[in-house]
Amino acid sequence: MLQETHSRTLTKTVVYRVLSVIAIVLLALSYGAGTSVAGALGLGAIIVGSIAYYLHDRVWLKFSLMTEQDSEHQGRSLIKSITYRCIVFMIAFALARMFLTDSNAVAASFTIWQMVINFTLYYFVERVFNKISWGKKIGRAHV
């Protein structure tokens, strides 16, 4: 079963969140938000998104689906990306309605674009960290 240290998961979380916050701020600005609104969305993404990412990654470590000795199959990274994005889609929509717009349609559009961008970022971070052996532990499945 693939295992990793908490420091590895934390490092992945920080890397992904930095990229994600940059993306959400730029996206909010492209939707006409002012810098304070874009910053509020970025701050919300840092706090809520970091907690969600870390917990999601730790839960996935409990399952050995599509793992090989010390790495993940591409399919596992894809499934992890999809499940994470579904959770965060709901969070992002709520943040968009709270900070960006009173329109469900605009909030949905913003959230869909954010989902596509962050899905790509998540998959990229998963694949990059798959190549890095630091913090990986090879263990046996608990019976």
Side-chain angles (χ1 to χ4, degrees):
M1 174 182 274
L2 179 64
Q3 297 177 337
E4 65 183 40
T5 62
H6 286 277
S7 58
R8 177 184 170 89
T9 306
L10 185 59
T11 301
K12 284 171 59 178
T13 302
V14 169
V15 168
Y16 173 73
R17 294 314 311 160
V18 166
L19 294 173
S20 179
V21 167
I22 291 168
I24 196 171
V25 168
L26 293 174
L27 184 61
L29 292 171
S30 77
Y31 268 73
T35 55
S36 62
V37 170
L41 281 167
L43 182 62
I46 289 170
I47 295 168
V48 178
S50 294
I51 293 167
Y53 184 95
Y54 184 84
L55 292 174
H56 180 263
D57 219 47
R58 295 308 298 179
V59 166
W60 266 93
L61 289 170
K62 306 267 185 228
F63 303 100
S64 60
L65 175 71
M66 292 189 269
T67 58
E68 304 155 354
Q69 281 300 97
D70 67 341
S71 67
E72 294 184 347
H73 185 275
Q74 286 181 340
R76 179 181 170 95
S77 295
L78 182 61
I79 293 168
K80 282 176 66 178
S81 299
I82 291 168
T83 58
Y84 177 74
R85 291 311 316 156
C86 288
I87 293 165
V88 176
F89 182 88
M90 293 179 284
I91 295 168
F93 182 83
L95 289 172
R97 287 285 283 131
M98 190 179 315
F99 293 109
L100 184 64
T101 183
D102 289 332
S103 165
N104 284 338
V106 172
S109 171
F110 176 85
T111 305
I112 290 167
W113 276 109
Q114 182 193 3
M115 186 175 84
V116 169
I117 293 165
N118 285 348
F119 179 90
T120 305
L121 289 173
Y122 186 100
Y123 183 79
F124 175 75
V125 169
E126 284 293 309
R127 297 312 302 158
V128 168
F129 269 87
N130 192 53
K131 305 281 185 211
I132 300 169
S133 61
W134 168 77
K136 288 184 181 180
K137 301 186 296 187
I138 300 172
R140 286 181 273 164
H142 300 287
V143 180

